Amino acid sequence: MCDNRESRKPYIFYNTWNYQERNQDWNKKTYLDSMNESRILKEIEVAHQIGVDVFVIDTGWYEKTGDWQVDRQRFSDNLKKVKRKLDDYGMKLGLWFNPTVAAVSSQMFRDHQDCVMTLDGVAKEAFPVWETEASMELSLVSRYRKAFTEELIRLVEEVGVSYFKWDAIAQYGSNSANHEHGTEKNSAQERSECYAFELARAMTRIVEDLTEACPEAIVDFDVTEGGRCVGLGFLAAGKYFLINNGPYYENFDVPVPEGRNVNLFFFPGPARDWVCRSTLTYDDWIPSILFLTHYFPDDPSENQLGSVASLILGHNGIWGDLCSISEDGVTRMRGWLSLYKKVRNEITSSYPVRTGIVAGSPEIYEKICERSGKGAVVFFASKEGDYTYHIHNLVAKSWEAVGPLDVLETDSGKAVIHFRPKKSKEAAIAFFGI
C-alpha cells in the first residue's frame, strides 16, 4: 500500500545502461562513450516510436556525484533539449543515482565530512564512480539524508526529473559512533546492525519526503547484486529494480570467459527471459509492478515477442540497443505494446493464474480482471506443440491474438485457447477487452 500511486502505475520504462555496457564489452568503448546528447536524442526517438513512457538515463549524466549537476560537456544545455523532446512525446525523464557517494571536490562532501561512513573509525578510500571523479561514501543514517533529499527535489524543479533510479546501496558498511545508529555506549557490532536496520528506514523516509514535495516522483532501487539493502518496507514508498544484467557467471560456479562480460544473461535470446520470468513467482504476494525488470528489444521477431510477452506481465522494462532495431522490429513492438496499453491497468490489478514452469511447454500466465474480463493470457513454449488452455476467469467478448493461437467461446461464458507453436522458444498473447 502506498499513498503515492505513481510508482504503482504500469508505465513502460527504458534505461540506457544495457547499451552502455554492451558498448564497453562488445565495441571496446568506455561506459560513458554513449552518454552524450546526440546518442540520447536518437534513443528517445526510437523509444517514442515503440511506446516507452519513462526514459531513464543511467550513470554518466552528471559532472560529479554528490552535487549531481548535469555534465555540461555531455549535455551543454543542462538536458533542456532532451527534456523538451521527452515533453513533446509525453515521456518522463529518469536519472541514475548512487545515494551513498559524494565526489571529493563536491560541495556536498565539503559540507558533510562528518557523515562519512567508517568501520572501526576508518573511512574507505575514495574511489571513482563509473569513470567519474573519485568519491567518498556518506551515510544515509545521518544528517546527510536530508541534504540528499533536497538534491532530488531540486532536480525535479530545475531539470524536470520525475524518475530516480538508485543503485549500489549496501546494507552493511558503517559502525560509526557519530551518526544516527549508535554511540560509544554501544558496541561496534550493535552500531553495525543498527545501521543495517535503520538504512532501509532512511531510504523509505527519503522517498516519502520526496514524493510529499513532488507527487510525480517515482524511486526505484536496484537490488540485483549481493549485499544490497533489501526489505519489504521500502516497497511501501518505492519499487525495486529487480534484475539488471545479472546474475553472474560466478553465481553458477562457471568460469568467466576471458575478456567477456561477467553477466551470464547479458545476451539477447530466451535465457534472459527465463531467468527474469522466474521472479514472477513473487506476484502471488507482491504485485509484479513493484519489480521493474528489463527485456531486450533486439530482432528477430521471436526475440521481440518473447520480450514483450514477458514484460507485460508486470515487469514493464526495456533496454538494449534501440538504435539498431530494424524498421519492421520497431513497427512490431509498437503494435504489440499499443495493444498492451489498452488493458495494462487491468493486467496490473489482476491476481495471477499460472500454469507450467518457466522454460517448460507450455508456460502460461493468465492476468484477467475479474470485474471487467479485460486483460491478457500469455503463452510460452520451448518446443513445437499443440496445447489447449481453459481460461479460469470470464473474459470480455472482444479479443486480439498475437502469435500462434486461437480463442474459442464456450457455453459457460468462459473461453478456450488453442496454442500451436510451430518452433521452439515461441510466445503468443491473447488480449481481451481490446
Side-chain angles (χ1 to χ4, degrees):
M1 303 294 288
C2 182
D3 289 336
N4 185 286
R5 299 185 62 82
E6 281 296 298
S7 62
R8 274 60 180 157
K9 293 180 180 178
Y11 295 120
I12 297 172
F13 299 87
Y14 172 74
N15 181 291
T16 63
W17 173 247
N18 179 262
Y19 177 73
Q20 292 177 251
E21 195 165 18
R22 285 187 186 185
N23 204 27
Q24 189 273 342
D25 184 59
W26 297 353
N27 301 325
K28 306 308 176 185
K29 306 284 187 178
T30 66
Y31 287 112
L32 304 190
D33 180 78
S34 60
M35 190 52 57
N36 59 73
E37 185 177 276
S38 176
R39 170 73 193 192
I40 295 302
L41 290 174
K42 290 177 182 177
E43 291 188 30
I44 290 173
E45 189 64 42
V46 182
H48 164 65
Q49 291 177 30
I50 65 177
V52 168
D53 301 305
V54 182
F55 189 96
V56 183
I57 304 176
D58 211 89
T59 189
W61 62 269
Y62 49 91
E63 181 183 359
K64 62 183 71 173
T65 64
D67 290 347
W68 300 111
Q69 297 287 342
V70 177
D71 188 331
R72 295 301 182 94
Q73 291 186 328
R74 299 182 181 279
F75 303 95
S76 59
D77 65 351
N78 201 39
L79 283 173
K80 289 181 180 178
K81 187 178 293 184
V82 167
K83 184 62 168 63
R84 188 161 55 247
K85 194 175 187 71
L86 291 173
D87 288 344
D88 289 344
Y89 288 148
M91 299 166 67
K92 298 176 181 293
L93 171 64
L95 296 177
W96 176 96
F97 297 83
N98 179 342
T100 62
V101 293
V104 293
S105 70
S106 67
Q107 187 66 45
M108 181 68 80
F109 177 66
R110 289 195 293 270
D111 292 345
H112 295 84
Q113 294 189 36
D114 60 303
C115 301
V116 171
M117 293 169 58
T118 60
L119 283 173
D120 300 328
V122 179
K124 183 178 178 180
E125 291 186 7
F127 60 95
V129 176
W130 294 115
E131 301 168 0
T132 68
E133 183 183 328
S135 301
M136 294 291 289
E137 290 188 318
L138 301 183
S139 172
L140 292 175
V141 190
S142 72
R143 70 183 186 89
Y144 162 66
R145 177 180 65 251
K146 182 178 179 181
F148 179 67
T149 305
E150 291 172 350
E151 271 297 288
L152 302 186
I153 294 172
R154 178 188 66 79
L155 285 161
V156 173
E157 296 171 346
E158 294 183 6
V159 183
V161 187
S162 57
Y163 192 88
F164 299 85
K165 178 189 185 299
W166 290 1
D167 198 2
I169 305 175
Q171 185 138 25
Y172 288 86
S174 180
N175 59 13
S176 170
N178 301 317
H179 300 156
E180 299 172 5
H181 51 96
T183 68
E184 294 290 354
K185 296 180 180 180
N186 304 105
S187 68
Q189 181 177 351
E190 287 175 331
R191 295 194 300 267
S192 177
E193 297 292 344
C194 188
Y195 171 78
F197 178 76
E198 290 295 341
L199 178 57
R201 302 211 307 168
M203 292 166 62
T204 303
R205 283 198 291 271
I206 292 171
V207 181
E208 290 173 341
D209 291 345
L210 169 63
T211 55
E212 182 177 357
C214 310
E216 69 274 28
I218 304 171
V219 179
D220 79 37
F221 170 47
D222 187 339
V223 296
T224 302
E225 279 75 31
R228 295 288 168 94
C229 184
V230 180
L232 295 181
F234 184 78
L235 295 179
K239 60 194 295 181
Y240 282 145
F241 188 109
L242 196 60
I243 298 176
N244 55 46
N245 284 329
Y248 304 97
Y249 281 95
E250 54 260 32
N251 293 116
F252 292 87
D253 195 22
V254 176
V256 178
E258 185 175 354
R260 301 301 300 182
N261 194 288
V262 298
N263 300 114
L264 190 60
F265 299 112
F266 178 69
F267 304 94
R272 178 175 174 83
D273 294 353
W274 291 339
V275 73
C276 290
R277 286 204 306 274
S278 68
T279 64
L280 289 168
T281 301
Y282 296 136
D283 199 23
D284 284 347
W285 302 280
I286 304 168
S288 54
I289 198 66
L290 298 183
F291 292 134
L292 175 62
T293 304
H294 292 69
Y295 294 86
F296 292 135
D298 304 89
D299 294 289
S301 60
E302 54 264 32
N303 281 352
Q304 292 167 334
L305 182 53
S307 291
V308 170
S310 300
L311 75 86
I312 70 169
L313 296 170
H315 286 154
N316 279 34
I318 297 171
W319 65 8
D321 188 355
L322 287 187
C323 298
S324 292
I325 305 174
S326 67
E327 289 185 15
D328 288 344
V330 169
T331 300
R332 283 191 295 265
M333 294 197 69
R334 178 171 61 245
W336 298 333
L337 290 174
S338 66
L339 291 173
Y340 166 58
K341 287 184 175 183
K342 293 179 180 179
V343 292
R344 60 180 170 182
N345 290 329
E346 287 81 6
I347 291 176
T348 302
S349 64
S350 300
Y351 193 82
V353 178
R354 294 178 293 124
T355 301
I357 61 173
V358 174
S361 286
E363 174 191 350
I364 307 171
Y365 300 84
E366 179 180 328
K367 295 278 282 186
I368 301 293
C369 176
E370 293 183 5
R371 297 184 301 275
S372 66
K374 295 182 178 181
V377 183
V378 180
F379 297 80
F380 303 93
S382 57
K383 62 181 180 180
E384 181 181 354
D386 190 337
Y387 309 103
T388 299
Y389 178 72
H390 294 260
I391 299 179
H392 291 71
N393 292 293
L394 295 175
V395 294
K397 296 291 184 181
S398 58
W399 58 275
E400 188 159 340
V402 175
L405 59 77
D406 297 302
V407 179
L408 303 176
E409 292 188 49
T410 67
D411 294 337
S412 65
K414 293 188 178 182
V416 176
I417 298 179
H418 293 299
F419 173 46
R420 299 186 176 93
K422 296 180 175 60
K423 52 188 175 182
S424 64
K425 305 175 184 64
E426 195 159 15
I429 311 168
F431 290 103
F432 292 91
I434 297 298

